[in-house]
C-alpha cells in the first residue's frame, strides 16, 4: 500500500477549507475522485495499524473527510473497528468511503462520547462533551453511485456526525459548551 496522505498533508484548524461547505461529488466518479477516496481510506487503515502508523508517524483516525486533505468535496472515509473488543481481528463495524452523505433523520435523544472528541485537524485537544444525536439515519452514495441508507447509534453515530460536520465546515469543538464543558445533561447518553 502506498500512502499519499501523511500528517503533513492534513489541513489544520485555521485553514479556510475546513470552514467551507464542501461541494457535491458528481457520478460516475472521476478517476481523480476515486483515487482520492482510496487514498483517504489508506490513511485510516495504516493509521490503525500499530506497527505501520509509527513508521509513517500517523495519528490514528476512524474518519477522514476530504476537506482535511485539502479538497472541498463531499467525501468522507470511515473505518470504525469492530465494537467487540475481544474480537479485534474481526471485520470492522464499518469500512467505506461515503459520498454526498446527508443525515435524513436523527433522534431527539442526545449522545456524547464520555471522553470528548478529537480531530486530526485540531492539534490542541479542546476538552468537553460534544453533544450530538444518539441515533441517526444517514443516506449516502458508495463508489458506484449506489444510494445507501444506514442506521447508526452510539459510537458509530458519533463518528458519522463528526465526519459529516466536516463537509459543512464545522469542527467538533463548535458543539462544546465552553462555559461548562463537562456539564452532565439528563437527556444525553454518555458513550464509553
Ligand atoms: Zn475531524
Amino acid at each position: 500500500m502506498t500512502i499519499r496522505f501523511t500528517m503533513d498533508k492534513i489541513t489544520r484548524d485555521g485553514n479556510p477549507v475546513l470552514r467551507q461547505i464542501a461541494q457535491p461529488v458528481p457520478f460516475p466518479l472521476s478517476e481523480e475522485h476515486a483515487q482520492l477516496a482510496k487514498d483517504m481510506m489508506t490513511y485510516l487503515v495504516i493509521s490503525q495499524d500499530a506497527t505501520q502508523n509509527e513508521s509513517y508517524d500517523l495519528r490514528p483516525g476512524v474518519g477522514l473527510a476530504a476537506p482535511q486533505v485539502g479538497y472541498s468535496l463531499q467525501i468522507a472515509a470511515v473505518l470504525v473497528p469492530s465494537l467487540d473488543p475481544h474480537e479485534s481481528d474481526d471485520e470492522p463495524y464499518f469500512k467505506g468511503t461515503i459520498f454526498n452523505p446527508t443525515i435524513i433523520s436523527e433522534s431527539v435523544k442526545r449522545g456524547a462520547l464520555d471522553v470528548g472528541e478529537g480531530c486530526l485537524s485540531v492539534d490542541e485537544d479542546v476538552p468537553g462533551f460534544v453533544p450530538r444525536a444518539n441515533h441517526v439515519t444517514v443516506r449516502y452514495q458508495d463508489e458506484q453511485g449506489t444510494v445507501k441508507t444506514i442506521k447508526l447509534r452510539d459510537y458509530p453515530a458519533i463518528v458519522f456526525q463528526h465526519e459529516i460536520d466536516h463537509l459543512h465546515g464545522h469542527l467538533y469543538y463548535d458543539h462544546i459548551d465552553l462555559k461548562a464543558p463537562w456539564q452532565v445533561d439528563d437527556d444525553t447518553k454518555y458513550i464509553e
Side-chain angles (χ1 to χ4, degrees), residues 101-132:
T102 48
I103 294 170
I104 56 171
S105 71
E106 63 173 59
S107 61
V108 175
K109 176 89 181 167
R110 306 270 89 193
L113 300 186
D114 63 359
V115 293
E117 294 184 23
C119 180
L120 296 171
S121 295
V122 181
D123 286 327
E124 202 173 323
D125 279 337
V126 183
F129 293 127
V130 181
R132 300 183 182 277

Side-chain angles (χ1 to χ4, degrees), residues 63-65 68 117-122 162-163 166 170-172:
L64 185 65
Q68 295 185 274
E117 294 184 23
C119 180
L120 296 171
S121 295
V122 181
H162 179 120
E163 296 314 317
H166 275 301
H170 301 139
L171 294 169
Y172 73 93

Side-chain angles (χ1 to χ4, degrees), residues 71-99:
Y71 292 83
S72 192
L73 290 167
Q74 291 182 26
I75 307 174
V78 178
L79 178 53
V80 177
S82 168
L83 299 181
D84 184 342
H86 303 294
E87 295 179 36
S88 52
D89 293 337
D90 219 339
E91 284 287 288
Y93 175 84
F94 184 91
K95 181 182 183 183
T97 312
I98 61 174
F99 298 83

Side-chain angles (χ1 to χ4, degrees), residues 167-182:
L167 308 181
H168 295 102
H170 301 139
L171 294 169
Y172 73 93
Y173 64 74
D174 299 346
H175 301 284
I176 296 176
D177 178 354
L178 295 174
K179 289 197 197 95
W182 299 109

